[in-house]
Amino acid sequence: MDTLTDLPAFHPPVPTPRQDSPGLIGLLLALRRNPLTTWTERHFREKVIVGDGVLGRIMVANDPAIIRHVLVDNAGNYRKDDLQMRVLAPGLGRGLLTADGEEWRLQRRTMAPLFTPRNVAGFHPAMNEAADRLVRRWRRRPDGRIVDVSLDMTRVTLDVLERTIFTSGISRNPDALGRAITRYFEGLGRIDPVDIFGLPAWIPRIGRLRARPAIRFFEEMVRDLIAARKTLLAQGQPAPRDLLTLLLEAADPETGKGLSDLDVNANIVTFIGAGHETTANALSWSLYLISQDERVRTLIEAEIDRVLSPGPIVADQIERLVYTRAVIEEAMRLYPPAPFLSRAAIADDDAGGFAIPAGTVVTIAPYVLHRHETLWRDPSAFRPERFLSPQREEIDRFAYLPFGAGPRVCIGATFALQEAIIVLASIVRSVRLDLAPGHDVDPLHRITLRPRHGMPMMLKARGKGV
Ligand code: HEM
């Protein structure tokens, strides 16, 4: 008997893999509409697929040993490829996500201490306050009211970032900041054909033109916030221990040098850009999956009712919410918030017997890897138990990559997981959510993996509230 696959399970919707690769025009159209629809059956079955096309040589790697080679063992031979940079850099500047070479190494060394488990634990109160605000708002609604969970998860993750970066009250106009951030990233979220063909940065991208006023407003606001905090620190006045203060005080452990104003600015934008929609999607997909599986819903509600009491969720409780964490991890397996990573080989290389000539783009797609037939049992089924001991120990470190791996692994992974657990547990403690009847759930890859038509769900109060 197989304890994992004997469990009844929900198989959530995704585009059916194609039988054959689309031609060039078909590929471009599919990339624009939804890159998830470009994957073929072979990608989910074969460990390595290499192809030469107009975009150069591309290797799709689903072999944990090759992935480990590219991301860890020989990471120095691989850089982030140009397409990612063209899509992300105009919005994020030279922050940690888009910096390269020595510039990246210096920033990473300087910022690593910001995200230690101890510092992240210092953010639990801010995470609880943001979750609380959302749940209180929802509890004021009558039972049966439909809310767009996807929109509210974006709001709550932005609220967490505002509180952990700037601390509430420092930003003079938090709602305006929230709106500006949303508009700023909306303008950047689409892969433009102009980027695919690598045309120069001065050629206007329509989405970005539309976002220009929001970009200006947002950038000015961040500049003002940095200036105000620097004055406070220079005067020796007590300043909140948020990410802004930590960034301004950060020093390279090797040289003692701090970050420039431009670096601080780029990294604030990067933390918001890399941290809000990703975490929001992990939460939306978790809530959707829970709503579709009564067995999982019963188990997660029971755990949360057993572990939590009213009031803020503390570190020791987070550790005991093992099933809740497994639900989030399984949601990120099925719907990885960052569904696609890629690297370009700098010099000729060889991985597991496969030649990788210089210039090859190695594609590591968590969306495909996490559903690969050779790596997972019943890959399309929603079964959080995979992430509980002892089954968990069977998962290869390089078969599950929601946060990437190696030197460029997500610096915010601990932050994101703690936040997701606090927000999800706060929600499940106080409300039950059911998908709006007749709603069509359609996963869309647009830098992150989000529900195309939002996630309208029906609210019902449960438990004693917050
Ligand atoms: C569920 C939420 C999140 C997911 C799934 C996620 C995923 C990822 C992945 C896959 C990478 C590696 C990209 C690559 O190797 O090409 C990455 C990098 C990064 N993430 Fe996250 N992330 C999340 C939340 C956050 C948060 C909350 C922050 C900051 C507060 C953050 C900041 C960053 C930064 C700065 C990098 C670049 C690191 C470097 O290159 O050194 N992320 N993230």
Coordinates of all heavy atoms in Angstrom, one line a residue, residues 7-12 286-301 323 327 330 334 381-385 432-434 457:
L7 N -4.4 8.2 -0.9 CA -5.3 9.3 -0.4 C -6.1 9.8 -1.6 O -5.5 10.0 -2.7 CB -4.4 10.4 0.1 CG -3.7 10.2 1.4 CD1 -2.7 11.3 1.7 CD2 -4.6 10.0 2.6
P8 N -7.4 10.1 -1.4 CA -8.1 10.7 -2.5 C -7.6 12.1 -2.7 O -7.1 12.7 -1.8 CB -9.5 10.7 -2.0 CG -9.4 10.7 -0.5 CD -8.2 9.9 -0.2
A9 N -7.6 12.6 -3.9 CA -7.0 13.9 -4.1 C -7.6 14.7 -5.3 O -8.2 14.1 -6.2 CB -5.5 13.7 -4.4
F10 N -7.5 16.0 -5.1 CA -8.0 16.9 -6.1 C -6.9 17.1 -7.2 O -5.7 17.3 -6.8 CB -8.4 18.2 -5.4 CG -8.7 19.4 -6.3 CD1 -9.7 19.3 -7.2 CD2 -8.0 20.6 -6.2 CE1 -10.0 20.3 -8.1 CE2 -8.2 21.6 -7.1 CZ -9.3 21.5 -8.0
H11 N -7.3 17.2 -8.4 CA -6.3 17.4 -9.5 C -6.6 18.8 -10.1 O -7.5 18.9 -10.9 CB -6.4 16.4 -10.6 CG -5.8 15.0 -10.1 ND1 -6.5 14.3 -9.2 CD2 -4.7 14.4 -10.4 CE1 -5.8 13.2 -8.9 NE2 -4.7 13.2 -9.6
P12 N -5.9 19.8 -9.7 CA -6.3 21.2 -10.1 C -6.0 21.5 -11.5 O -5.1 20.9 -12.1 CB -5.4 22.1 -9.2 CG -4.3 21.2 -8.8 CD -4.7 19.8 -8.8
S286 N -3.0 28.6 -2.4 CA -3.2 27.7 -1.2 C -4.7 27.8 -0.8 O -5.4 26.7 -0.6 CB -2.4 28.2 0.0 OG -1.1 28.2 -0.3
L287 N -5.3 29.0 -0.8 CA -6.7 29.1 -0.4 C -7.6 28.4 -1.4 O -8.6 27.8 -1.0 CB -7.1 30.6 -0.2 CG -6.5 31.2 1.0 CD1 -6.5 32.8 0.9 CD2 -7.2 30.7 2.3
Y288 N -7.3 28.5 -2.7 CA -8.1 27.9 -3.7 C -8.1 26.3 -3.5 O -9.1 25.7 -3.5 CB -7.6 28.3 -5.1 CG -8.0 27.3 -6.2 CD1 -9.4 27.2 -6.5 CD2 -7.1 26.5 -6.9 CE1 -9.8 26.4 -7.5 CE2 -7.5 25.7 -7.9 CZ -8.9 25.6 -8.2 OH -9.3 24.7 -9.1
L289 N -6.8 25.8 -3.3 CA -6.7 24.4 -3.2 C -7.4 23.8 -2.0 O -8.0 22.8 -2.0 CB -5.2 24.0 -3.2 CG -4.5 24.2 -4.6 CD1 -3.0 24.2 -4.5 CD2 -4.9 23.1 -5.6
I290 N -7.3 24.5 -0.9 CA -7.9 24.1 0.4 C -9.4 24.0 0.1 O -10.1 23.1 0.6 CB -7.6 25.1 1.5 CG1 -6.2 25.1 1.9 CG2 -8.5 24.8 2.7 CD1 -5.7 26.2 2.8
S291 N -10.0 25.0 -0.6 CA -11.4 25.1 -0.8 C -11.9 23.9 -1.7 O -13.1 23.6 -1.7 CB -11.8 26.4 -1.5 OG -11.5 26.4 -2.9
Q292 N -11.0 23.3 -2.4 CA -11.4 22.2 -3.3 C -11.3 20.8 -2.7 O -11.6 19.8 -3.4 CB -10.6 22.3 -4.6 CG -10.8 23.6 -5.4 CD -12.2 23.8 -5.8 OE1 -12.9 23.0 -6.4 NE2 -12.8 25.0 -5.3
D293 N -10.8 20.7 -1.5 CA -10.5 19.4 -0.9 C -10.9 19.4 0.5 O -10.2 19.9 1.4 CB -9.0 19.1 -1.1 CG -8.6 17.7 -0.8 OD1 -9.2 17.1 0.1 OD2 -7.7 17.2 -1.5
E294 N -12.1 18.8 0.8 CA -12.7 18.8 2.1 C -11.7 18.1 3.1 O -11.6 18.5 4.3 CB -14.0 18.1 2.2 CG -15.2 19.0 1.8 CD -15.2 20.3 2.6 OE1 -15.0 20.3 3.8 OE2 -15.4 21.4 1.9
R295 N -11.0 17.0 2.7 CA -10.2 16.3 3.6 C -9.0 17.3 4.1 O -8.8 17.4 5.3 CB -9.5 15.1 2.8 CG -8.7 14.2 3.7 CD -8.0 13.1 2.8 NE -7.0 13.7 1.9 CZ -5.8 14.0 2.3 NH1 -5.4 13.8 3.5 NH2 -4.9 14.6 1.5
V296 N -8.4 18.0 3.1 CA -7.3 18.9 3.5 C -7.9 20.0 4.4 O -7.3 20.4 5.4 CB -6.7 19.5 2.2 CG1 -5.7 20.5 2.6 CG2 -6.0 18.3 1.5
R297 N -9.1 20.5 4.0 CA -9.7 21.6 4.8 C -9.9 21.2 6.2 O -9.5 21.9 7.1 CB -11.0 22.0 4.1 CG -11.7 23.1 5.0 CD -12.3 24.2 4.2 NE -13.5 23.8 3.4 CZ -14.1 24.6 2.6 NH1 -13.6 25.8 2.4 NH2 -15.1 24.2 1.9
T298 N -10.4 20.0 6.4 CA -10.6 19.5 7.8 C -9.3 19.5 8.6 O -9.2 19.9 9.7 CB -11.3 18.1 7.7 OG1 -12.4 18.2 6.9 CG2 -11.7 17.6 9.1
L299 N -8.3 18.9 7.9 CA -7.0 18.8 8.6 C -6.3 20.1 8.9 O -5.8 20.3 10.0 CB -6.0 17.9 7.7 CG -6.4 16.4 7.6 CD1 -5.5 15.8 6.6 CD2 -6.2 15.8 9.0
I300 N -6.4 21.0 8.0 CA -5.7 22.3 8.3 C -6.5 23.1 9.3 O -5.9 23.7 10.2 CB -5.4 23.1 7.0 CG1 -4.5 24.3 7.3 CG2 -6.7 23.7 6.3 CD1 -3.9 25.0 6.0
E301 N -7.8 23.1 9.2 CA -8.6 23.8 10.3 C -8.3 23.2 11.6 O -8.2 23.9 12.6 CB -10.1 23.7 9.9 CG -10.5 24.6 8.8 CD -12.0 24.6 8.4 OE1 -12.7 23.8 9.0 OE2 -12.4 25.4 7.6
Y323 N 1.3 21.1 9.1 CA 0.4 20.8 8.0 C 0.1 22.1 7.2 O 0.1 22.0 6.0 CB -0.9 20.2 8.5 CG -1.7 19.5 7.4 CD1 -1.3 18.3 6.9 CD2 -2.8 20.1 6.9 CE1 -1.9 17.7 5.9 CE2 -3.5 19.5 5.8 CZ -3.1 18.3 5.3 OH -3.7 17.7 4.3
V327 N 0.8 22.5 3.2 CA -0.2 23.0 2.2 C 0.4 24.1 1.4 O 0.3 24.1 0.1 CB -1.5 23.5 3.0 CG1 -2.4 24.3 2.0 CG2 -2.3 22.3 3.6
E330 N 3.0 22.5 -1.0 CA 2.3 21.8 -2.1 C 1.7 22.7 -3.1 O 1.7 22.5 -4.3 CB 1.3 20.8 -1.5 CG 0.5 20.0 -2.5 CD 1.3 18.9 -3.3 OE1 2.5 19.0 -3.4 OE2 0.6 18.0 -3.8
L334 N 2.6 22.9 -7.2 CA 1.6 22.8 -8.3 C 1.6 24.1 -9.1 O 1.5 24.2 -10.3 CB 0.2 22.5 -7.8 CG 0.1 21.0 -7.3 CD1 -1.1 20.8 -6.5 CD2 0.1 20.1 -8.5
A381 N -1.6 15.7 -8.7 CA -2.6 15.7 -7.5 C -2.1 16.6 -6.4 O -0.9 16.7 -6.1 CB -2.7 14.2 -7.0
F382 N -3.1 17.2 -5.7 CA -2.8 18.1 -4.6 C -2.8 17.2 -3.3 O -3.8 16.7 -2.9 CB -4.0 19.1 -4.5 CG -3.9 19.9 -3.2 CD1 -2.8 20.6 -2.9 CD2 -5.1 20.0 -2.5 CE1 -2.8 21.4 -1.7 CE2 -5.1 20.8 -1.3 CZ -4.0 21.5 -0.9
R383 N -1.6 17.0 -2.8 CA -1.4 16.1 -1.6 C -0.3 16.7 -0.7 O 0.9 16.4 -0.8 CB -0.9 14.7 -2.0 CG -2.0 13.9 -2.7 CD -1.7 12.4 -2.6 NE -2.8 11.7 -3.2 CZ -2.8 11.2 -4.4 NH1 -1.8 11.4 -5.2 NH2 -3.9 10.6 -4.9
P384 N -0.8 17.6 0.2 CA 0.2 18.2 1.1 C 1.1 17.2 1.9 O 2.2 17.6 2.3 CB -0.7 19.0 2.1 CG -2.0 19.2 1.4 CD -2.1 18.0 0.5
E385 N 0.6 16.0 2.1 CA 1.3 15.0 2.8 C 2.7 14.7 2.3 O 3.6 14.2 3.0 CB 0.5 13.7 2.9 CG -0.7 13.7 3.9 CD -1.9 14.6 3.4 OE1 -1.9 15.0 2.2 OE2 -2.7 14.9 4.2
R432 N -14.0 30.8 6.4 CA -13.9 29.7 5.5 C -14.2 30.3 4.1 O -15.1 31.2 4.0 CB -14.9 28.7 5.8 CG -14.9 27.5 5.0 CD -15.8 26.4 5.5 NE -15.2 25.6 6.5 CZ -15.7 24.5 7.0 NH1 -16.9 24.1 6.5 NH2 -15.1 23.8 7.9
L433 N -13.4 29.9 3.1 CA -13.6 30.5 1.8 C -14.0 29.4 0.8 O -13.3 28.3 0.7 CB -12.3 31.2 1.3 CG -11.9 32.4 2.1 CD1 -10.4 32.7 2.0 CD2 -12.7 33.6 1.5
D434 N -15.0 29.7 0.0 CA -15.4 28.7 -1.1 C -15.3 29.5 -2.4 O -15.8 30.6 -2.5 CB -16.8 28.2 -0.8 CG -16.7 27.0 0.2 OD1 -16.0 26.0 -0.1 OD2 -17.3 27.2 1.3
M457 N -14.0 34.4 -4.2 CA -14.4 33.4 -3.2 C -15.4 33.9 -2.2 O -15.5 35.1 -2.0 CB -13.2 32.8 -2.5 CG -12.1 32.2 -3.4 SD -10.7 31.4 -2.5 CE -11.4 29.8 -2.3

